[in-house]
Amino acid sequence: MKNELIKAVVVALITLPGIAQADSIQQFLEASTVTGNIRSYYFNQLYSGSALPNKYAYSLGGMLKVQTAPLFGVSAGVAFYTANSLGANDVNAPGYTHLDALLMGENDALNGLGQAYLQYQNLWLRVRVGDQLINTPWMNPSDAFMIPSTFQAVTAQVTPIQNVQIIGIRAFRFKNRLQAGYHRETLLNQNPLYPNMPNTMNGALAFGVKDHWQSLKSAAWFYQFYGLANLFYGTVHYSVPGLPDGIKPFADLQYVREWANGAQYAGPVNATVYGGMAGMQTPYGQVFAAYDQMPSRAPFSVGGRSLYNGGFISPYTQQYSADPLYTSVMDYGLVSASASGHAWKFGLVVHPLRQLRVKYSYSIYDTAPYLPNVDANYLDVTYTPGGFWRGISLRNRLAIDHSNPYAGYHGVFIDDRLMLQYTFS
């Protein structure tokens, strides 16, 4: 019902004459925008030297979004998402033997209205109500598959002075990237560690402050995941300006503190994470080294497994390894492992050609004896030809891990994801 009302308001905003922030209906329509993308994705999971069956998945789809021009500061947006396997996936075999369910789940097709919101905006305030993308460290779109995660929420952003932003969020329902509709669940409902997680969660409340002053950037966030935990997250970034040859050293720090609240459906969470990153930016790219530590705490049992990491949870990123820890990679990290320990990550980002971006990292996750130690190689190559082919990009992400628990064995696990995308506006 709510989506139908918002769509009706969109139509009204487009058709009402004479009162828009434009001199004519034609100008009003020209000030509105239509954007979107077409994606083709191919996933492979290969189990080297193992009897486990290799898995794959293919999908073709995209997004179409209409954003109206403002009417006295009020506008509306609607975005439709679709994904289809075109019959290429192994969805009929018992147990989905060869299906990589990360891409589309166990579906032949996914279609849904991911965004449908009303928005008010002026020079210092933006308020948005409805189905929308949220882009914060621990609640974000996780947009690395076919369809991003979206939220039914009220969000507000205030810019009281230049370079300072204050954000408030109240999210009520969640649609992860494998669902067609919204639910009162989180990603923990799909995590086998939490078999008794209710499907009537009350969402989340979040507040954030971001500041940028010369070469110093900082941010502080507070999240209340109702019935689960409270989380504080702070970051500081500093870069050294003015050095010759475009060289710019930088350093980052992050701190996370999480503690249980309400019904404590995920257990008596009591966790801390410390992290740091240092590197150097040059005209040719970037090199960096990162470290994160999740100290061991008194264990408690969840889902039949003892957790020594304070029971750290991330309800909207954990299954997707989409958290902001410096050492997380495409398919692994300390948060997704749900184990205490520490991690190192060494990497570089280079642009050998203007159209080519190459990122490589090597990570070590030392979580023994709670989980086997994991090491991961990650290669991310993106080609954007530009010019006549503007809007087209080809991206391949390759992870080669050893002892990744997601793989179900202690050999070499290869996870390869190839995307061809065309974006338009």
Side-chain angles (χ1 to χ4, degrees):
M1 180 65 183
K2 178 176 67 64
N3 286 339
E4 295 299 324
L5 176 60
I6 291 176
K7 285 188 283 185
V9 173
V10 171
V11 174
L13 287 172
I14 293 176
T15 56
L16 280 174
I19 58 174
Q21 292 177 345
D23 295 333
S24 68
I25 289 296
Q26 180 180 352
Q27 291 181 358
F28 180 66
L29 293 174
E30 289 174 350
S32 300
T33 60
V34 178
T35 58
N37 63 60
I38 300 172
R39 286 182 179 178
S40 173
Y41 240 131
Y42 184 58
F43 275 30
N44 268 303
Q45 290 187 358
L46 308 177
Y47 299 84
S48 177
S50 169
L52 291 173
N54 296 332
K55 298 180 180 181
Y56 63 87
Y58 174 77
S59 185
L60 176 67
M63 181 269 289
L64 181 66
K65 180 179 180 181
V66 176
Q67 176 75 46
T68 74
L71 170 66
F72 297 119
V74 179
S75 61
V78 174
F80 176 77
Y81 295 88
T82 183
N84 198 295
S85 71
L86 303 182
N89 295 339
D90 185 19
V91 296
N92 296 316
Y96 305 100
T97 309
H98 294 285
L99 176 66
D100 185 346
L102 290 176
L103 183 58
M104 289 181 58
E106 298 163 358
N107 307 289
D108 278 317
L110 277 174
N111 300 287
L113 199 63
Q115 299 182 63
Y117 59 82
L118 295 176
Q119 175 178 290
Y120 172 76
Q121 185 169 5
N122 58 32
L123 291 177
W124 61 276
L125 172 67
R126 189 190 75 182
V127 178
R128 184 175 288 182
V129 180
D131 305 347
Q132 58 189 286
L133 296 171
I134 291 178
N135 195 359
T136 77
W138 297 94
M139 298 170 66
N140 59 61
S142 306
D143 190 15
F145 289 2
M146 290 300 299
I147 298 174
S149 296
T150 51
F151 299 79
Q152 285 185 349
V154 178
T155 63
Q157 178 177 304
V158 182
T159 307
I161 59 176
Q162 187 177 10
N163 297 326
V164 174
Q165 292 180 343
I166 302 172
I167 301 104
I169 300 168
R170 177 62 172 101
F172 301 95
R173 289 176 175 81
F174 176 61
K175 185 176 80 66
N176 73 46
R177 56 196 186 189
L178 301 181
Q179 293 174 322
Y182 283 87
H183 303 272
R184 293 178 62 186
E185 298 178 349
T186 73
L187 293 178
L188 301 185
N189 290 79
Q190 284 77 51
N191 191 323
L193 268 179
Y194 307 97
N196 299 317
M197 191 67 57
N199 58 5
T200 55
M201 305 296 290
N202 289 322
L205 178 71
F207 295 99
V209 179
K210 298 192 292 184
D211 180 41
H212 181 193
W213 182 72
Q214 297 184 0
S215 297
L216 185 67
K217 296 179 181 179
S218 60
W221 287 91
F222 171 79
Y223 297 84
Q224 184 173 13
F225 305 120
Y226 290 107
L228 297 169
N230 299 321
L231 184 149
F232 171 81
Y233 178 61
T235 61
V236 176
H237 167 85
Y238 179 72
S239 58
V240 180
L243 297 182
D245 301 321
I247 295 175
K248 186 179 290 186
F250 64 88
D252 294 77
L253 296 173
Q254 63 183 182
Y255 172 76
V256 191
R257 182 74 179 96
E258 189 175 44
W259 63 100
N261 75 32
Q264 302 187 19
Y265 292 119
V269 174
N270 178 22
T272 308
V273 185
Y274 309 90
M277 180 167 59
M280 184 175 297
Q281 185 75 43
T282 76
Y284 306 101
Q286 178 188 105
V287 294
F288 63 89
Y291 176 80
D292 281 305
Q293 181 180 19
M294 190 177 294
S296 177
R297 295 290 175 89
F300 61 89
S301 180
V302 172
R305 176 177 148 196
S306 294
L307 298 183
Y308 292 83
N309 65 339
F312 191 96
I313 58 167
S314 179
Y316 299 105
T317 72
Q318 191 161 334
Q319 297 294 92
Y320 297 152
S321 299
D323 58 82
L325 294 193
Y326 298 143
T327 53
S328 295
V329 292
M330 178 179 81
D331 60 349
Y332 203 64
L334 291 177
V335 174
S336 58
S338 297
S340 61
H342 62 266
W344 287 95
K345 180 179 175 182
F346 308 91
L348 55 86
V349 182
V350 296
H351 298 267
L353 300 172
R354 180 178 58 85
Q355 306 94 334
L356 189 64
R357 176 184 180 272
V358 179
K359 179 178 181 178
Y360 170 77
S361 67
Y362 175 70
S363 307
I364 302 170
Y365 305 93
D366 186 358
T367 53
Y370 315 114
L371 279 179
N373 294 338
V374 173
D375 60 90
N377 290 275
Y378 174 59
L379 179 64
D380 184 343
V381 180
T382 303
Y383 178 66
T384 52
F388 176 80
W389 303 102
R390 184 174 63 92
I392 292 179
S393 61
L394 180 65
R395 184 184 186 188
N396 192 82
R397 294 183 298 155
L398 173 66
I400 304 176
D401 305 343
H402 185 266
S403 294
N404 187 329
Y406 288 166
Y409 78 116
H410 301 314
V412 176
F413 171 56
I414 300 173
D415 191 352
D416 186 64
R417 305 173 185 180
L418 176 65
M419 181 185 75
L420 176 63
Q421 177 172 266
Y422 171 64
T423 60
F424 56 89
S425 59

